Amino acid sequence: MKAIYKRELKSYFSSVIGCIFIAATLLISGIFFVLYNLMQGYPNMEPPIFYGAMGLALLVPVLTMKVMADERRQKTDQLILTSPVSLFKVVMGKYLALLTIFAIPVLIICSYPLILSMFGTVSFKLAYVTILGFFLYGAALIAIGVFISSITEMQIIAAIIGIVIMFLGFFMGTITGMISQDGNLLTDILNAFYTMGPLNDIMAGQITLANIVYYVSIIVLFLFLTCQSVQKRRWSASKATIGTSVFSTVTIAVVLVLVVFVNLLATVVTKNVPAATVDTTSEKVYSISDKTVKMLKKLDKDIDVYVMSSKGAMKKDVYKDYILKTLDRFETNSSHIKVEYKDTKQNPNFYKEYTDQSPTEGSLIVVNKNNKKSKVIDYNDMFEMDQTAAMYGQQSQPTAFDAEGQLDGAITYVQSDELYTVYQVEGHKETADEKSLGTIENMTDVIKKHNGEIKTINLNTKKAQEELNTDKCAVLLILGPQKDYTKTEANMVKKYLEEGGKVVIGLEAANSFQVKKPNFYSILEAYNIKVQSGIIAENDENCYMPMQMDGSGGPLFAIAKGTEGFATDLSGEMLSPYSIGLTKKDKNNEEITITELAKSSSKSVLKTDPNHAKKSTKEKGDVAGPFDLVLSVEKNVAATEASSVGTDKADSKQAEMLVYSSVYSLSDSIDSIASNANTEVLSNALDEYIDTDVETVTVAKKSLQVSPLTVSVKAMRICLIIFVIVLPVGFLAFGIIRWAIRRKK
């Protein structure tokens, strides 16, 4: 086999074909590497690999057309076939030689992620798994090409047949979609020939046992068929006896059945065994968290999830496919979860049993048939859209994915017999009421996932006196008051806390830092928090958001990683714009436990007169940092007869507060920039504050955005010269020179 391998490898470089293949593969991948990755700053390897794979459908048949056909044309196959080397070793030697030629451009492509990492953050795991998928795809096409070459002695015929078959395999997903969007038996059969399908999954960040088995089985099958094709010419048998022709037919049938069985088995294993799927995306878009898995294992009630779409239509859409794969993970981890797809064309009125409004295509309806309780998860609620694009009239793309979190919340809701009330205080020119905070859907969504319902409350009303107690109010929200409280209102909040109440406070300084709020701040002082007048300016360049084109960012937009407590498992860094300085009032107070969840840096400064500040560093009257940006406060309070919401411990009470130094941290725009880390702190706090009658799991949204690379024009031009000109031309020139030298001999 080694001799065959060397002979074949040498022949490809002597005839220029090998160098042409390498040069063309590098040229195609290099063009799209420069065009997308460098010019547009895209950090993932999908563009050069996708177009490189399309190029292989044309290039591989040219590479493989002569590997067996030319032997037949020149009659040299008889020498090999009559040699003492086994037929398997002959075929494998030739195949490995072709694979070696293909490996050369693949190895050069492996340098792409390393180059990109010089200009920003690159997921090496996703990048190299994508390249591995590309190699497997190419290896499978080479095996198909070797077989086609074995059935004809005309190289041009082998090339044409190969190009047709390989392009059909590349576009088979589009063809089956044209036949039926919903899928049927015919499309299921045709999809078995969709050679690009597994590579699409791998490029998207999901490598599975089924993907690997598919490509390996293609390689094994077509190399086996090649051996059978050659075997037909090596032996002859009498028609009167059971000869090699019959034996080959039976063997081929057995192998085909075996290949189908292995692929079906791999598909079943992939669907039912989580370990058979590796999620290579940085945000684990195709996986579900350990918290969700734990909750599903404990689930003891049958939950039906109806999908308002056909399964085939879900597979055809890249974003709906995210939902489909998430549902697969839920089904895999609990026998009590049953997913059923309802084609809205065939079942247009199915939703009316559960809701009055028609859900968007791809929406989910979660149903607990035991208590007849249901919840609709609209398709749009499972994605966070790019609002910036919409502002400029561009097509808005999803920036975050939240199917897991929405499903967790819905499953909790349909199991629970209780809905908890979260009161939001109004009447003090609250920032949230004025909408100057922007939308707060992320925060609202977190509360809904905890089975909470938000209602507004005015502390000056009789209703507030009746409702503001731990029996009726699970959590009290105070979001950026710009006016001071009255003493009566402040005392109402203090009384609620002394009963064991839970409060979330966001402070406002951007518009009201000069407004005195002694009554409101007395609530915080009662819990050992000192509020210092002014706005924090960060002077550590690693701890503030860079200035943006819209004027946001700069030293007033402080960034802080979580330090302890709720913030230890944050998926990102917290962002706190226009923050008030918070410190402990009495450091020796042992009755109140204050946990610093996020702090500013030691270089931060509290600007006491920000309107007249000339620089971000310390000036006269400013206060040196660091300061607390987010605090968690706990205090054991005297027991009363009233029982706190969600707990049976009537004789053991604890007042708890979560304090944000900036209410703007809870706005959707700021929270999205922080990869939802700001509301993740709130979610973790609510896990402690609301003890639901069923287990509650909250999962942060998963970002679909990638951080763009910043590539200089000079670097881009250098890469263009190397990967699009020097390397392709170099290999082509090497091949021509080798061919010319051989011709002279």
Side-chain angles (χ1 to χ4, degrees):
M1 185 173 76
K2 187 176 180 180
I4 298 291
Y5 170 78
K6 288 182 177 180
R7 172 182 176 273
E8 204 65 35
L9 195 60
K10 182 179 179 181
S11 71
Y12 269 97
F13 285 109
S14 298
S15 63
V16 194
I17 293 178
C19 290
I20 291 176
F21 173 82
I22 295 170
T25 303
L26 289 175
L27 178 64
I28 294 171
S29 60
I31 287 173
F32 291 99
F33 171 64
V34 173
L35 185 63
Y36 285 94
N37 296 104
L38 298 178
M39 292 183 66
Q40 299 184 27
Y42 189 64
N44 293 345
M45 289 297 297
E46 184 179 353
I49 294 302
F50 176 82
Y51 290 103
M54 184 186 292
L56 288 182
L58 174 65
L59 297 173
V60 166
V62 176
L63 177 69
T64 60
M65 64 182 182
K66 82 178 196 73
V67 67
M68 303 298 291
D70 198 45
E71 299 277 9
R72 290 184 62 180
R73 185 181 63 83
Q74 297 183 19
K75 307 302 181 182
T76 56
D77 60 329
Q78 298 301 319
L79 296 175
I80 297 175
L81 295 178
T82 56
S83 69
V85 181
S86 69
L87 183 57
F88 171 76
K89 290 183 177 180
V90 170
V91 173
M92 279 302 298
K94 289 175 173 289
Y95 175 73
L96 290 176
L98 294 170
L99 206 59
T100 301
I101 295 170
F102 176 52
I104 293 172
V106 171
L107 288 173
I108 293 173
I109 290 171
C110 284
S111 68
Y112 291 180
L114 297 174
I115 293 169
L116 294 178
S117 67
M118 298 167 62
F119 309 109
T121 303
V122 174
S123 172
F124 287 113
K125 185 177 181 181
L126 176 58
Y128 285 109
V129 165
T130 298
I131 295 173
L132 172 63
F134 178 63
F135 181 75
L136 289 173
Y137 173 77
L141 293 193
I142 290 172
I144 295 172
V146 170
F147 168 69
I148 294 171
S149 181
S150 73
I151 60 177
T152 178
E153 63 181 37
M154 298 292 291
Q155 294 185 36
I156 189 65
I157 297 298
I160 292 172
I161 294 173
I163 290 171
V164 171
I165 289 176
M166 291 177 195
F167 267 106
L168 280 174
F170 186 89
F171 290 108
M172 188 58 70
T174 304
I175 295 170
T176 55
M178 294 169 62
I179 295 173
S180 173
Q181 284 289 333
D182 302 331
N184 52 40
L185 179 60
L186 176 61
T187 59
D188 288 343
I189 294 172
L190 290 176
N191 277 328
F193 302 95
Y194 185 25
T195 53
M196 190 64 187
L199 180 56
N200 283 334
D201 284 344
I202 294 170
M203 287 191 297
Q206 183 176 232
I207 184 168
T208 67
L209 177 65
N211 297 151
I212 302 299
V213 168
Y214 178 81
Y215 284 133
V216 171
S217 63
I218 284 181
I219 294 168
V220 172
L221 174 63
F222 280 94
L223 291 182
F224 166 77
L225 292 176
T226 302
C227 291
Q228 292 298 308
S229 174
V230 177
Q231 186 83 344
K232 291 281 290 181
R233 301 196 309 276
R234 192 173 192 179
W235 303 101
S236 60
S238 171
K239 294 181 180 180
T241 61
I242 299 178
T244 56
S245 60
V246 177
F247 175 76
S248 297
T249 302
V250 174
T251 305
I252 291 170
V254 171
V255 171
L256 284 172
V257 171
L258 184 61
V259 167
V260 172
F261 173 76
V262 169
N263 276 272
L264 289 174
L265 180 63
T267 302
V268 172
V269 172
T270 298
K271 183 176 181 180
N272 294 286
V273 180
T277 299
V278 178
D279 188 347
T280 59
T281 60
S282 57
E283 291 288 324
K284 301 299 179 185
V285 175
Y286 298 107
S287 307
I288 57 176
S289 65
D290 292 338
K291 292 193 293 185
T292 298
V293 171
K294 184 179 178 182
M295 181 268 288
L296 291 173
K297 297 298 183 185
K298 293 182 179 179
L299 187 64
D300 58 359
K301 296 180 177 65
D302 291 335
I303 305 294
D304 293 329
V305 181
Y306 297 106
V307 185
M308 296 295 96
S309 177
S310 66
K311 192 168 186 178
M314 295 289 284
K315 286 182 177 180
K316 299 299 180 184
D317 185 285
V318 62
Y319 295 116
K320 289 177 182 175
D321 191 48
Y322 288 155
I323 300 172
L324 187 149
K325 287 182 168 63
T326 300
L327 291 171
D328 285 345
R329 299 278 73 78
F330 270 73
E331 271 193 303
T332 299
N333 285 280
S334 175
S335 59
H336 292 284
I337 299 290
K338 180 183 177 184
V339 178
E340 190 172 339
Y341 294 84
K342 296 290 182 180
D343 189 341
T344 52
K345 295 177 182 177
Q346 299 178 9
N347 303 277
N349 298 317
F350 176 80
Y351 70 90
K352 291 184 178 179
E353 185 179 346
Y354 305 101
T355 179
D356 296 330
Q357 295 184 339
S358 175
T360 309
E361 176 81 10
S363 299
L364 311 178
I365 301 177
V366 181
V367 181
N368 182 351
K369 290 187 176 179
N370 294 325
N371 59 11
K372 308 298 181 184
K373 203 171 180 181
S374 63
K375 185 171 184 179
V376 177
I377 305 175
D378 193 78
Y379 172 81
N380 295 318
D381 291 336
M382 288 183 275
F383 292 94
E384 183 178 281
M385 306 303 291
D386 183 2
Q387 300 300 324
T388 305
M391 287 172 58
Y392 291 99
Q394 300 172 358
Q395 184 177 358
S396 184
Q397 296 291 329
T399 58
F401 179 55
D402 194 32
E404 180 186 353
Q406 292 289 338
L407 280 165
D408 286 342
I411 291 171
T412 297
Y413 174 80
V414 299
Q415 290 184 90
S416 178
D417 296 324
E418 193 169 357
L419 185 65
Y420 303 98
T421 302
V422 176
Y423 279 114
Q424 182 178 328
V425 179
E426 62 179 3
H428 309 92
K429 203 178 178 181
E430 275 79 11
T431 307
D433 292 341
E434 278 194 330
K435 303 299 181 185
S436 61
L437 181 62
T439 56
I440 51 174
E441 291 300 320
N442 289 356
M443 185 199 73
T444 303
D445 192 52
V446 166
I447 292 171
K448 286 181 179 178
K449 289 177 182 178
H450 284 82
N451 229 17
E453 178 185 26
I454 298 178
K455 294 181 179 180
T456 58
I457 188 170
N458 190 313
L459 299 178
N460 279 319
T461 63
K462 185 178 180 181
K463 178 185 177 183
Q465 297 174 1
E466 296 173 353
E467 299 287 329
L468 191 57
N469 58 66
T470 53
D471 281 332
K472 297 182 179 179
C473 177
V475 179
L476 184 67
L477 297 178
I478 301 175
L479 302 179
Q482 298 181 46
K483 292 170 55 179
D484 195 21
Y485 281 33
T486 65
K487 287 185 178 181
T488 301
E489 290 174 322
N491 288 333
M492 287 179 67
V493 176
K494 292 175 187 177
K495 181 182 177 184
Y496 168 70
L497 282 165
E498 289 299 316
E499 291 177 359
K502 320 296 180 187
V503 180
V504 175
I505 298 176
L507 302 178
E508 206 285 330
N511 301 317
S512 62
F513 76 93
Q514 291 179 322
V515 178
K516 296 184 181 298
K517 306 171 190 174
N519 294 324
F520 174 62
Y521 291 156
S522 70
I523 299 170
L524 297 169
E525 289 175 358
Y527 286 82
N528 201 28
I529 299 174
K530 181 181 179 181
V531 181
Q532 302 195 50
S533 179
I535 298 178
I536 295 174
E538 265 292 357
N539 291 291
D540 185 337
E541 62 181 14
N542 295 316
C543 294
Y544 64 80
M545 177 180 162
M547 186 66 72
Q548 305 297 302
M549 293 180 64
D550 60 3
S552 63
L556 299 185
F557 281 62
I559 294 175
K561 292 184 178 180
T563 54
E564 54 182 301
F566 296 124
T568 51
D569 297 323
L570 288 182
S571 57
E573 296 175 325
M574 297 183 65
L575 180 59
S576 185
Y578 310 118
S579 306
I580 293 175
L582 300 177
T583 55
K584 288 183 182 180
K585 183 180 178 183
D586 180 5
K587 294 183 179 181
N588 297 319
N589 190 321
E590 297 181 355
E591 294 182 359
I592 299 172
T593 302
I594 297 180
T595 304
E596 300 167 337
L597 303 184
K599 292 177 70 71
S600 64
S601 76
S602 58
K603 294 182 180 180
S604 62
V605 171
L606 186 73
K607 308 299 291 187
T608 55
D609 189 6
N611 286 344
H612 298 92
K614 296 181 180 179
K615 55 184 180 179
S616 62
T617 53
K618 188 176 179 181
E619 298 176 287
K620 185 177 180 180
D622 293 344
V623 181
F627 302 96
D628 295 315
L629 298 176
V630 184
L631 293 172
S632 171
V633 185
E634 297 177 358
K635 179 185 177 182
N636 291 323
V637 294
T640 64
E641 293 182 1
S643 63
S644 59
V645 175
T647 179
D648 298 328
K649 299 179 181 180
D651 58 345
S652 176
K653 294 184 172 296
Q654 196 170 55
E656 296 183 88
M657 280 198 298
L658 178 65
V659 184
Y660 288 84
S661 63
S662 170
V663 68
Y664 299 99
S665 296
L666 294 170
S667 71
D668 289 347
S669 58
I670 298 299
D671 188 45
S672 297
I673 294 172
S675 301
N676 303 111
N678 293 341
T679 51
E680 190 175 346
V681 174
L682 173 63
S683 178
N684 291 336
L686 293 180
D687 286 343
E688 301 290 331
Y689 294 174
I690 302 177
D691 187 11
T692 58
D693 55 337
V694 296
E695 184 170 358
T696 302
V697 173
T698 54
V699 178
K701 296 177 182 178
K702 300 173 181 180
S703 176
L704 298 178
Q705 292 181 304
V706 291
S707 300
L709 307 174
T710 304
V711 185
S712 66
V713 175
K714 180 180 179 181
M716 184 190 69
R717 287 175 178 170
I718 292 173
C719 290
L720 174 66
I721 293 170
I722 293 173
F723 292 107
V724 180
I725 300 175
V726 174
L727 286 174
V729 172
F731 275 103
L732 187 59
F734 174 78
I736 293 173
I737 292 170
R738 286 270 303 173
W739 174 80
I741 293 173
R742 180 174 174 271
R743 290 282 294 179
K744 288 182 178 180
K745 291 181 179 180

